[in-house]
Amino acid sequence: MVPIKTMRALFLSSLLFFTVANGAVEPANADKDSLPQEDQMLDVDTIFRAMGVPYCMRKCIDPFINSTTSLWYMKDVVSQARQVCTLHAQAITCLKNDQFCDHNKIFVKASSSVQYMCATKHVLFERMEKCLNPVVDDVMSICDKQCYSRSNLTAFSQDSNVKFAATVGGNAFIVADHLGPLCSSLQCTLPCVTKKLNSKCALSGWLSLDMLMQPFDAVAVMIDQLSVPLKDLITKKIDKQCRFAVNPTRLNRIRNGDFSAFNMDNL
């Protein structure tokens, strides 16, 4: 059986990877005056340290995370996809070379959306690339303004409790207690991106949704295999805005376009 600590780490990593991958790992020698104000506030390093991500993993994944800056800036997202795929593969290879760094394969599972796009669905994305290229940046920008993904991520990275967790080597409980706004943004972002991409390029929204659901599926399946008392305990400990992410039935409904499954806890 997979340890509870590992499942908790995978859940946090999956959720935070979805949002952190929309940011950039700021170089140590970055010129603060040359960065936009919003990027001065985003502290990805604090987020990773608060999660307790070890240095051996950071040295492997930081170049890949840094390659996703196009998502944060919402510029040339489609054209940057190949570079993202290449650096993701390099990160996986790097971690394999250090077998003791991520033996539970948390990064592999948390970033499975990227692997799914790069290895499994790349042919479909290539067919849609011509249609997607001129519209994706605007869709992401519109959905961000509606869903506050970047502002909520920035606020999370600046939260005093999260910063404290970073200074003590990471604390999953503290991080988990502050995920509500990020889950709220996710509940808004997935339907927004899905519907708007479908309206611009047929079926592209469903393909994107399918890709983005991959890491949550891995967590939900593991939790669903636990005993009922333990599963109930984990569910109760998670912010109600995040509970959809550990429920296979709800995830399947969301994957099939029933976005009301996000809000079952509020009924």
Side-chain angles (χ1 to χ4, degrees):
M1 180 180 293
V2 179
I4 299 299
K5 181 179 180 181
T6 299
M7 285 190 293
R8 183 169 64 239
L10 179 54
F11 170 71
L12 295 175
S13 300
S14 299
L15 180 60
L16 288 171
F17 178 80
F18 179 88
T19 48
V20 171
N22 295 319
V25 176
E26 181 183 314
N29 61 348
D31 181 355
K32 293 284 186 180
D33 293 331
S34 68
L35 296 172
Q37 182 64 30
E38 190 167 31
D39 290 292
Q40 289 185 32
M41 297 167 60
L42 178 65
D43 190 346
V44 177
D45 182 63
T46 288
I47 294 175
F48 280 150
R49 287 190 291 113
M51 292 170 59
V53 178
Y55 174 75
C56 64
M57 188 183 295
R58 288 292 302 274
K59 70 185 177 113
C60 288
I61 71 173
D62 277 6
F64 160 68
I65 297 295
N66 198 43
S67 74
T68 65
T69 54
S70 60
L71 298 180
W72 181 258
Y73 290 108
M74 298 176 186
K75 300 293 184 183
D76 302 320
V77 171
V78 174
S79 63
Q80 296 296 321
R82 289 181 179 84
Q83 181 188 18
V84 170
C85 289
T86 297
L87 290 172
H88 180 262
Q90 291 175 0
I92 299 297
T93 299
C94 178
L95 290 172
K96 285 181 179 178
N97 291 335
D98 188 347
Q99 58 181 321
F100 298 108
C101 182
D102 189 22
H103 62 277
N104 288 312
K105 301 186 182 303
I106 290 175
F107 175 74
V108 173
K109 295 171 183 175
S111 64
S112 57
S113 292
V114 180
Q115 179 67 16
Y116 191 62
M117 176 189 75
C118 297
T120 306
K121 296 293 184 179
H122 70 281
V123 174
L124 287 176
F125 272 105
E126 286 176 356
R127 290 176 181 172
M128 297 179 179
E129 185 173 1
K130 185 176 181 180
C131 178
L132 286 171
N133 197 47
V135 302
V136 166
D137 296 354
D138 286 342
V139 167
M140 290 184 65
S141 181
I142 290 170
C143 291
D144 179 64
K145 289 177 181 177
Q146 291 181 8
C147 304
Y148 308 105
S149 296
R150 294 194 298 175
S151 60
N152 280 341
L153 177 60
T154 296
F156 176 83
S157 74
Q158 293 294 330
D159 185 278
S160 59
N161 294 291
V162 175
K163 285 184 173 293
F164 171 75
T167 64
V168 297
N171 188 305
F173 293 102
I174 292 176
V175 173
D177 284 342
H178 295 81
L179 292 177
L182 297 182
C183 290
S184 177
S185 290
L186 187 59
Q187 290 185 28
C188 172
T189 299
L190 288 177
C192 180
V193 170
T194 300
K195 293 173 182 177
K196 290 189 180 300
L197 284 183
N198 278 337
S199 71
K200 301 291 185 180
C201 305
L203 302 179
S204 65
W206 296 124
L207 182 59
S208 299
L209 178 64
D210 182 40
M211 176 188 75
L212 294 170
M213 299 297 287
Q214 295 300 311
F216 298 113
D217 287 340
V219 182
V221 167
M222 286 193 293
I223 291 179
D224 198 49
Q225 293 172 346
L226 298 174
S227 65
V228 173
L230 192 53
K231 183 165 54 176
D232 289 344
L233 177 63
I234 292 174
T235 301
K236 289 177 182 178
K237 290 289 185 180
I238 297 174
D239 188 293
K240 68 178 183 178
Q241 295 184 89
C242 303
R243 288 177 188 162
F244 72 89
V246 296
N247 186 305
T249 301
R250 291 173 66 173
L251 289 174
N252 189 56
R253 287 175 57 178
I254 293 167
R255 185 189 295 278
N256 286 287
D258 180 5
F259 297 118
S260 66
F262 280 125
N263 304 310
M264 291 173 62
D265 293 293
N266 298 323
L267 298 178

